[in-house]
Amino acid sequence: MKGLAFKEAVIDTVAATAMNFPINWVLVAYAIHTDMDPFVASVMLTVVLSAIAIARKTLFRVYFQKRWYQ
């Protein structure tokens, strides 16, 4: 059980890094392009990346629950 949880965590972290790096790049470029205040840019990044993380984590958990834990 611990080994499966570790695999799930590693796969989720690798997927998150692969997804978040380009998304972060685009959002930072947008913030710079629009002369966004640093506080507003931080809030925007936090909200967008958190929403993506919740969706990703939910999908991964459902997938692993069906595949490994039954």
Side-chain angles (χ1 to χ4, degrees):
M1 185 69 141
K2 287 183 183 180
L4 295 178
F6 179 74
K7 280 184 180 179
E8 179 183 342
V10 169
I11 292 169
D12 183 60
T13 302
V14 169
T17 302
M19 290 172 62
N20 288 347
F21 184 78
I23 293 167
N24 192 31
W25 195 327
V26 168
L27 292 175
V28 169
Y30 173 76
I32 292 170
H33 177 72
T34 59
D35 292 327
M36 198 176 285
D37 180 70
F39 176 77
V40 175
S42 295
V43 170
M44 177 191 66
L45 286 165
T46 300
V47 168
V48 171
L49 293 176
S50 293
I52 292 169
I54 291 168
R56 185 195 72 250
K57 193 67 168 171
T58 301
L59 292 172
F60 270 74
R61 179 54 55 99
V62 168
Y63 172 79
F64 284 111
Q65 191 73 25
K66 286 181 182 177
R67 178 143 163 77
W68 286 350
Y69 298 126
Q70 286 183 349

